[in-house]
Amino acid sequence: KNEVEQSPQNLTAQEGEFITINCSYSVGISALHWLQQHPGGGIVSLFMLSSGKKKHGRLIATINIQEKHSSLHITASHPRDSAVYICAVLTDKLIFGTGTRLQVFP
Amino acid sequence: GAVVSQHPSRVICKSGTSVKIECRSLDFQATTMFWYRQFPKQSLMLMATSNEGSKATYEQGVEKDKFLINHASLTLSTLTVTSAHPEDSSFYICSAWRQPNSPLHFGNGTRLTVT
């Protein structure tokens, strides 16, 4: 079993839909990162969390340390949100989830 | 925002040659840089952690003599793929942070093709 599990693996949505991507982990962490990787390969760091909730534009990330779970929400999704979203936890090193491939159709 | 520059973005080399990939933090000093490999449709795989002025820490299964990492300054780390083989063809990405528990900044990756 992977130390970091993401769900779903693939997600399709219509433009405007509310999207949730989940990340569960089984190890003690000092921080959790949400990353976005576009088809060209470039990776952007969206959030770094150690507790609570963060919001940036249409993106919201939450983390529950006791439950070892984090969610990434996208409100009013848009085709430009289509990407792979990766959760990574920081222990003594970075451990990556397998990613969630999101496609948003107009 | 902080920028990490990775070069080259694409490289094709012949089997048996060596290829060097550079990762630079342009507007901050990176105490630690990370090197990853990514296979098609898979997530990132951490290869090694590079701290300035010390030897890199390699993940299990990554050959130190094949993937040489040098972190000579706080703004530059290099990954050299030595005696490249076709199975080394992959997407290599670096990232850097100012300090632990600070945001991660990624390079745009290098697509290596070994013929």
Side-chain angles (χ1 to χ4, degrees), chain A residues 18-30:
Chain A
F18 180 84
I19 288 161
T20 296
I21 300 170
N22 296 299
C23 176
S24 296
Y25 52 93
S26 58
V27 293
I29 70 170
S30 56

Side-chain angles (χ1 to χ4, degrees), chain A:
Chain A
K1 189 177 183 343
N2 291 333
E3 293 167 301
V4 182
E5 297 273 2
Q6 277 186 245
S7 63
Q9 287 187 325
N10 294 284
L11 183 56
T12 57
Q14 286 295 125
E15 184 173 356
E17 285 185 11
F18 180 84
I19 288 161
T20 296
I21 300 170
N22 296 299
C23 176
S24 296
Y25 52 93
S26 58
V27 293
I29 70 170
S30 56
L32 182 145
H33 295 259
W34 279 105
L35 311 172
Q36 180 192 54
Q37 185 172 28
H38 282 282
I43 295 176
V44 174
S45 178
L46 299 175
F47 295 104
M48 185 185 73
L49 294 163
S50 54
S51 66
K53 175 179 174 178
K54 286 189 176 179
K55 184 176 189 292
H56 182 70
R58 295 181 294 106
L59 302 178
I60 303 167
T62 64
I63 188 168
N64 185 317
I65 296 294
Q66 287 73 31
E67 294 185 3
K68 291 186 163 61
H69 181 268
S70 176
S71 292
L72 176 67
H73 306 285
I74 305 175
T75 61
S77 59
H78 190 276
R80 64 175 174 267
D81 297 325
S82 299
V84 175
Y85 292 84
I86 303 169
C87 162
V89 301
L90 180 61
T91 59
D92 59 340
K93 62 180 182 182
L94 270 173
I95 306 172
F96 291 86
T98 52
T100 295
R101 188 172 299 273
L102 170 66
Q103 288 185 296
V104 182
F105 293 99

